Amino acid sequence: MSASKDYHLEKEEEGKGFDYHLFKRLWAYVTPYRKLFYLSLLMLVLGTLFQLYIPYVSKNAIDAFMMREHRYTSSAVEAKGYYRLDEGLWIKEDKGGAFSLTRRDGHFVLTDGLLSFRLSQEQIRELRVDDIQGIDKSVLILLVLLFSVFFTNYIQVYFSNKLGQKVIYDIRTGLFRKVLTLPLKFYDHNPTGRIVTRITNDTENLNEFFTSAVTSIVKDILLLIGIIGFMLFLSSQLTGYSLFVLPVIVLATALFRFFDRKAYRKVRVRLARINAFLAEHLSGMSVIQLFNRETSKYEEFKKTNHSYYRATLQQLTVFAVFRPTMDILFYIALCVVIWFGSKDFVSGIMTFGVLYAFINYIDMFFQPLRDLSEKFDIVQNALASAEKIFKLLDEKASEIEPSQEGPEIRDGSVEFESVTFGYNEGVEVLKDISFNIRPGEKVAIVGETGAGKTSLIGILTALYPIQKGRILIDGIPIDAYQVHALRKQVAVVLQDVFIFSGDVVDNIRLFDNAVSREEVIDAAKYVNVDHLISRFEKGYDTMLNERASTLSAGERQLIALARAVVRDPKILVLDEATANIDPVTEAFIQDAMEKVTQGRTVITIAHRLSTIRNADRIFVFHKGRLVESGTHLELFAKNGLYTQLYRLQYQLNE
Ligand code: UTP
Ligand code: MG
């Protein structure tokens, strides 16, 4: 069993975190589109710089134009002709004093310390024309900046999404290509749901990583550095005061990360449980209803659902504590800025513009902090997904190495030389099997259930590798054939016929457009399924659903037979359905069988009496061994296992 363990894709497991090799492998997927990546990164940096610059421009507008101290020489004042009426002014002016503009009682007043003059709004505008122009210019700059932020954001979001989609498209395609080449042994150990999750959910997690996490993390870090830079540039002291909450933030974030990770993992595991439960029970619905298990299954689902609900609540609680904590820290930092900043402003150490910019920057500072810690989930998740995806991509493809060029199958003889085979190490399903089937011979294989009959087909068509011995077709070992050529000439009708979603024609030619519709219809007529198909509402264009619940067992068998015939194989292997088929269909199948076996080597795993009677030779399998072989009469005369089986299984049914 130890070897089979390698085939298990891990269930919910913890990602390793920041693994360098993981990033390197992911990067390999980005490389073909690195132009997109760099462009989006450039836009991100530009956008962040523009955004950072906005409060600084406002600060300039406030300090340079709104709050500017104004001094006018007497001659400038005189030239405006404001106070010709006032004699006193002339006196002052003669002494060469300067006038300054100040606010008093809600009005602007021009004063030189002794004399003051109140100005009208028009007069002020005229006097401060430079300031007003400066403000206009600043607003224009702000508008340009805002537009640039929007524009760079737009391009960045578009490109990073395009990049993400391209990358996951490649990964998804790569995964499916891989999945097509994996040995069947892999599927014996990995539930379909898990593989589907790899190709859909896990790739989607990666997409999120590329589109939202990477970019916003880079942006957040840039913003944080930029904000601290601007703040230090404006006032190192106030920066120190306002960032005194930083250690608390770091601690709160670390705590949040710890609890969130725990809660998040729980949520994911429980959601996976719901998915698994649903997948299983939806496909087993008929059994549930037939055996009246609805109520107990409902209760079971309620429990699973409730545990998921509790986990999400737990995660919500973590967020409910973290977000307000960050808000409180933000307001504390803001209070500190206002408190110290206002004092500095009052005492003239700091301009009002700087205070304004600071308040803005503090506001800006907390957004990336909140973001960063929350984006961590996405990264963690994506890396765990990446690990699982790469694990699947690293699965070893089929152990049977197909030779590139090989012979064609001409005669159709089949020879087994001491073949031993097991699905898992240590458990032999077929033991030391040797036989020789001549071209055109019809062999029936019988044996109790689990004797290894179906397994024989798996190894003959190279679906599973054998452990010992050789299998030869036309005297050539099967590994010398190209796998495709081998499977083209050895057509198999399996016990359970799988019907794909598609119409009847496609189900017979298996979506191989090289096979024409006419050929399909000919094959259908040949195997007597044509009249059944014509009974369908849309004939050959009738859509058959995936699970083929609309087809009867007999119809399915005949379609499978048509599938095999359409490929005109040299060797036909039939695993008869154990299900009973009505006498009319049985007759059709029997007639079809007689036709399709003409000129072909046929190995039939027989469950029907007619098949056994028509066989040239019968092989009897027992617990993985070929115990008896010969014609019906020969074997019957032996009075051995065959006779027993025959009596039990067939005679009673007669
Ligand atoms: P087979 O599937 O070859 O049995 O399994 P069979 O003779 O065709 O039986 P019926 O008549 O259709 O019922 C042979 C043994 O191989 C195991 C089975 O459990 C059985 O014991 N087996 C089969 C695996 O271990 N893995 C597989 O994927 C299939
Ligand atoms: Mg079987």
Side-chain angles (χ1 to χ4, degrees):
M1 278 286 148
S2 62
S4 69
K5 245 185 117 186
D6 303 341
Y7 283 93
H8 286 263
L9 290 176
E10 246 71 332
K11 285 182 217 139
E12 289 304 326
E13 64 167 27
E14 194 179 328
K16 282 203 204 93
F18 294 97
D19 182 336
Y20 170 71
H21 292 285
L22 216 55
F23 277 108
K24 221 174 118 184
R25 264 190 99 165
L26 277 176
W27 176 249
Y29 281 94
V30 179
T31 338
Y33 315 110
R34 50 179 182 275
K35 269 191 199 150
L36 276 181
F37 180 78
Y38 290 131
L39 200 63
S40 124
L41 206 63
L42 177 73
M43 288 297 137
L44 189 99
V45 173
L46 283 180
T48 312
L49 286 180
F50 292 147
Q51 199 180 336
L52 278 170
Y53 205 58
I54 289 173
Y56 191 76
V57 171
S58 315
K59 175 239 156 212
N60 269 353
I62 294 172
D63 285 347
F65 309 117
M66 286 165 69
M67 306 293 285
R68 182 150 71 112
E69 282 225 4
H70 289 270
R71 299 206 159 267
Y72 301 95
T73 57
S74 306
S75 51
V77 172
E78 182 196 2
K80 298 279 176 197
Y82 291 150
Y83 8 82
R84 289 258 162 87
L85 299 173
D86 197 308
E87 286 302 313
L89 190 63
W90 290 107
I91 298 161
K92 272 268 117 199
E93 188 206 8
D94 281 343
K95 285 180 180 169
F99 290 86
S100 64
L101 191 64
T102 53
R103 262 183 104 89
R104 194 180 294 164
D105 303 329
H107 299 285
F108 276 102
V109 170
L110 205 57
T111 176
D112 69 342
L114 286 172
L115 296 165
S116 307
F117 301 92
R118 187 176 150 179
L119 303 185
S120 72
Q121 273 190 9
E122 286 75 35
Q123 284 171 327
I124 288 284
R125 284 217 183 100
E126 211 181 348
L127 196 65
R128 298 190 65 178
V129 67
D130 291 347
D131 291 342
I132 288 171
Q133 276 171 1
I135 288 171
D136 287 348
K137 222 185 271 170
S138 300
V139 169
L140 198 69
I141 294 174
L142 280 178
L143 277 177
V144 170
L145 278 177
L146 280 173
F147 184 75
S148 308
V149 168
F150 162 78
F151 186 70
T152 48
N153 262 350
Y154 164 76
I155 295 183
Q156 186 263 315
V157 167
Y158 180 78
F159 281 128
S160 61
N161 273 284
K162 197 165 167 183
L163 172 76
Q165 288 301 336
K166 276 182 185 283
V167 167
I168 64 158
Y169 172 86
D170 288 350
I171 293 182
R172 232 188 271 128
T173 321
L175 278 174
F176 191 64
R177 197 190 303 132
K178 184 80 204 188
V179 154
L180 284 175
T181 65
L182 287 177
L184 283 189
K185 198 171 169 182
F186 175 85
Y187 296 95
D188 296 345
H189 296 285
N190 289 287
T192 319
R194 201 182 295 163
I195 303 166
V196 172
T197 307
R198 284 301 158 275
I199 303 178
T200 56
N201 293 15
D202 284 320
T203 49
E204 194 44 47
N205 285 345
L206 272 190
N207 180 34
E208 222 179 316
F209 173 71
F210 280 114
T211 52
S212 77
V214 173
T215 46
S216 72
I217 285 174
V218 172
K219 188 180 175 144
D220 289 345
I221 291 172
L222 272 180
L223 267 179
L224 288 179
I225 295 173
I227 289 168
I228 293 181
F230 266 95
M231 285 185 4
L232 282 173
F233 174 70
L234 290 173
S235 158
S236 52
Q237 208 181 7
L238 197 55
T239 310
Y241 288 142
S242 51
L243 292 188
F244 91 104
V245 284
L246 207 56
V248 189
I249 292 172
V250 172
L251 183 74
T253 312
L255 280 176
F256 165 74
R257 290 269 312 116
F258 174 75
F259 287 112
D260 176 53
R261 247 171 86 168
K262 259 174 55 173
Y264 190 68
R265 196 162 310 139
K266 219 184 249 181
V267 168
R268 276 184 50 101
V269 170
R270 293 186 184 178
L271 182 63
R273 229 178 268 165
I274 290 198
N275 284 339
F277 186 92
L278 282 177
E280 188 182 321
H281 288 83
L282 290 178
S283 38
M285 193 51 78
S286 54
V287 180
I288 293 175
Q289 293 186 351
L290 283 171
F291 289 87
N292 295 327
R293 306 308 301 153
E294 292 99 327
T295 321
S296 78
K297 286 297 171 193
Y298 171 70
E299 290 302 326
E300 212 179 303
F301 180 76
K302 246 174 47 178
K303 247 187 238 160
T304 319
N305 196 13
H306 191 72
S307 88
Y308 171 61
Y309 161 79
R310 276 208 318 267
T312 47
L313 273 194
Q314 208 172 325
Q315 198 190 12
L316 282 180
T317 317
V318 175
F319 272 90
V321 173
F322 178 70
R323 287 206 181 118
T325 307
M326 288 301 269
D327 283 348
I328 286 178
L329 288 173
F330 161 67
Y331 284 115
I332 291 175
L334 196 64
C335 286
V336 169
V337 166
I338 293 172
W339 185 25
F340 285 96
S342 314
K343 277 203 235 170
D344 283 355
F345 172 65
V346 169
S347 46
I349 300 170
M350 182 185 275
T351 64
F352 184 73
V354 172
L355 182 60
Y356 173 84
F358 245 88
I359 292 172
N360 264 277
Y361 282 128
I362 284 291
D363 192 18
M364 243 192 212
F365 190 74
F366 273 75
Q367 193 45 48
L369 275 183
R370 280 185 210 113
D371 237 46
L372 262 181
S373 42
E374 286 172 21
K375 285 283 160 15
F376 246 83
D377 276 350
I378 296 181
V379 174
Q380 194 77 34
N381 207 2
L383 291 183
S385 287
E387 230 178 297
K388 289 184 213 164
I389 285 173
F390 290 143
K391 192 153 189 241
L392 179 54
L393 282 174
D394 290 341
E395 281 292 340
K396 259 178 74 184
S398 187
E399 287 161 46
I400 296 162
E401 285 297 325
S403 57
Q404 285 313 304
E405 276 174 35
E408 288 282 307
I409 296 173
R410 289 181 202 289
D411 309 327
S413 74
V414 178
E415 193 177 339
F416 271 51
E417 277 181 4
S418 314
V419 174
T420 297
F421 163 73
Y423 292 96
N424 300 312
E425 237 168 273
V427 188
E428 289 179 355
V429 170
L430 290 171
K431 295 164 208 157
D432 198 22
I433 306 286
S434 297
F435 58 76
N436 200 335
I437 301 173
R438 292 183 304 278
E441 199 180 358
K442 279 146 204 52
V443 169
I445 295 177
V446 295
E448 80 279 23
T449 187
K453 303 182 298 291
T454 303
S455 310
L456 204 69
I457 300 179
I459 57 175
L460 179 61
T461 48
L463 286 176
Y464 293 92
I466 55 173
Q467 276 81 43
K468 272 185 231 155
R470 290 204 301 172
I471 300 173
L472 304 123
I473 291 177
D474 285 358
I476 301 165
I478 55 166
D479 5 340
Y481 291 96
Q482 223 191 317
V483 168
H484 286 160
L486 176 75
R487 292 182 188 157
K488 192 167 187 293
Q489 289 299 321
V490 183
V492 175
V493 176
L494 289 172
Q495 225 166 351
D496 305 307
V497 181
F498 191 86
I499 300 290
F500 289 91
S501 47
D503 58 21
V504 177
V505 174
D506 275 335
N507 259 294
I508 291 177
R509 66 181 173 192
L510 286 178
F511 306 91
D512 179 358
N513 287 327
V515 180
S516 72
R517 191 185 168 90
E518 286 66 43
E519 286 173 289
V520 168
I521 295 174
D522 283 347
K525 282 188 178 144
Y526 196 66
V527 303
N528 302 329
V529 74
D530 177 65
H531 71 282
L532 289 174
I533 294 169
S534 348
R535 280 210 311 247
F536 296 158
E537 210 173 301
K538 286 183 186 158
Y540 283 89
D541 297 320
T542 309
M543 296 298 285
L544 305 174
N545 71 7
E546 230 170 290
R547 306 205 26 236
S549 47
T550 51
L551 289 181
S552 75
E555 286 163 348
R556 255 180 287 168
Q557 283 270 302
L558 286 168
I559 282 189
L561 212 53
R563 246 182 218 173
V565 165
V566 104
R567 301 161 75 185
D568 191 21
K570 274 273 163 318
I571 301 169
L572 190 61
V573 186
L574 301 151
D575 201 349
E576 284 182 347
T578 26
N580 278 325
I581 285 168
D582 70 88
V584 182
T585 316
E586 167 86 37
F588 279 127
I589 292 179
Q590 204 175 314
D591 179 63
M593 288 296 292
E594 261 162 46
K595 281 194 277 181
V596 301
T597 53
Q598 300 275 326
R600 296 191 171 101
T601 308
V602 182
I603 303 172
T604 312
I605 293 161
H607 292 286
R608 277 192 288 270
L609 193 59
S610 57
T611 320
I612 296 176
R613 282 191 179 148
N614 291 335
D616 299 328
R617 260 194 305 165
I618 299 158
F619 291 174
V620 184
F621 276 73
H622 180 63
K623 293 190 176 157
R625 287 185 192 279
L626 175 57
V627 290
E628 290 172 12
S629 69
T631 61
H632 172 68
L633 288 177
E634 281 168 11
L635 290 177
F636 208 76
K638 261 191 190 172
N639 203 17
L641 190 68
Y642 176 75
T643 321
Q644 267 180 31
L645 266 175
Y646 184 81
R647 287 221 172 96
L648 276 172
Q649 208 171 334
Y650 303 106
Q651 224 165 33
L652 293 180
N653 288 345
E654 249 181 327

